Amino acid sequence: MCSVGDAFNIEITSLEAKFFKCDECRNEFRGIGRKVVCPSCHSNKVKPMFKEE
Amino acid sequence: MIPLDHDEMLLLKGMEGVLGIVKAGEHNKFFLETDKEEILLFLEPEDLLVASGFEKDEKTMKGLKCVLYMIRELGSPFIVLPKKHPASRRLKIVVSAGDRTRISCSITPGTHPEQDILCGSDEFDGVEIRGVKGGVEFKNLKEVQIDRIPFKI
């Protein structure tokens, strides 16, 4: 899914990462994966958001 | 399928390079750091961390284990360098994370938007590695020595 080190082999913009917002602590972050949790408070009450939000 | 527990590591020894594979395990959160932003990568326990070394000596094999250990056990972030960064050619080991990794020895800088490709030596070219329940599945894998070793430093 992601490679590192050999950095030229990854187009980071092509990752299907979404912006998320935590319902608990309002933290905003960009993430990818099936079980996304807030990196700040570890809550799983996170929602995808639009970039414009 | 080759069995792989969460406390084990697979070493695939080729003639020119080595691959190290561990399960993502319970440490499901990984950080991808670019020069502009931080992206969180959430993996499933059966997903894989795959490290590819471009030498086959003992130091490289120890290095594979150390790199994977730092990422999985210490939570070290993945540092994504900008394209054409001079450090890219200094790297001895590269790492991929996810449910599937494809190894290629013929990738050209800047031409591969796929996220699941990892550089590897010639004998691993075209190999597809997939994390499945209880182990690892391979496609297009030629005759290489595969060792299952404890994943501890």
Side-chain angles (χ1 to χ4, degrees):
Chain A
M1 182 178 286
C2 300
S3 62
V4 72
D6 208 354
F8 40 70
N9 294 328
I10 185 169
E11 292 277 359
I12 202 75
T13 51
S14 67
L15 284 173
E16 294 174 4
K18 295 177 184 172
F19 287 89
F20 291 89
K21 189 169 191 174
C22 176
D23 277 351
E24 299 278 354
C25 72
R26 317 307 292 168
N27 180 37
E28 295 177 8
F29 60 96
R30 198 168 175 217
I32 184 170
R34 282 160 280 181
K35 290 180 182 173
V36 178
V37 298
C38 174
S40 179
C41 71
H42 309 294
S43 169
N44 59 5
K45 294 179 180 173
V46 297
K47 288 178 183 168
M49 54 186 281
F50 295 106
K51 268 186 177 178
E52 295 76 25
E53 270 188 58
Chain B
M1 181 193 82
I2 295 178
L4 180 66
D5 288 334
H6 290 190
D7 59 353
E8 294 176 325
M9 173 180 173
L10 287 183
L11 268 179
L12 281 68
K13 300 175 183 172
M15 295 299 288
E16 298 170 15
V18 183
L19 297 180
I21 303 171
V22 295
K23 291 282 184 181
E26 298 304 319
H27 311 266
N28 67 335
K29 183 176 65 183
F30 301 88
F31 295 95
L32 308 177
E33 311 289 351
T34 76
D35 59 336
K36 294 187 177 65
E37 63 180 341
E38 179 177 81
I39 298 173
L40 281 97
L41 171 66
F42 296 91
L43 297 183
E44 299 288 316
E46 298 289 350
D47 289 342
L48 301 175
L49 302 177
V50 181
S52 173
F54 304 115
E55 302 283 344
K56 59 169 186 175
D57 56 12
E58 187 69 21
K59 282 184 182 177
T60 300
M61 285 189 263
K62 287 179 177 174
L64 292 176
K65 186 187 275 189
C66 286
V67 166
L68 291 171
Y69 192 90
M70 283 187 65
I71 291 172
R72 196 181 87 170
E73 302 298 324
L74 299 184
S76 288
F78 288 70
I79 309 296
V80 182
L81 296 172
K83 284 181 184 178
K84 298 182 180 176
H85 192 287
S88 292
R89 61 177 181 269
R90 309 290 178 209
L91 298 166
K92 310 295 184 190
I93 292 172
V94 293
V95 181
S96 169
D99 59 349
R100 188 185 76 139
T101 293
R102 288 182 294 136
I103 307 294
S104 174
C105 68
S106 56
I107 38 187
T108 306
T111 61
H112 291 268
E114 303 94 335
Q115 300 104 32
D116 56 356
I117 287 186
L118 184 66
C119 263
S121 51
D122 282 352
E123 65 262 357
F124 295 118
D125 189 32
V127 172
E128 185 177 316
I129 306 165
R130 185 181 291 275
V132 296
K133 187 172 176 55
V136 182
E137 281 184 350
F138 295 95
K139 283 184 185 172
N140 309 319
L141 184 63
K142 298 168 189 165
E143 288 289 319
V144 295
Q145 181 183 339
I146 302 177
D147 293 338
R148 212 165 111 206
I149 62 173
F151 185 57
K152 54 187 175 186
I153 300 291

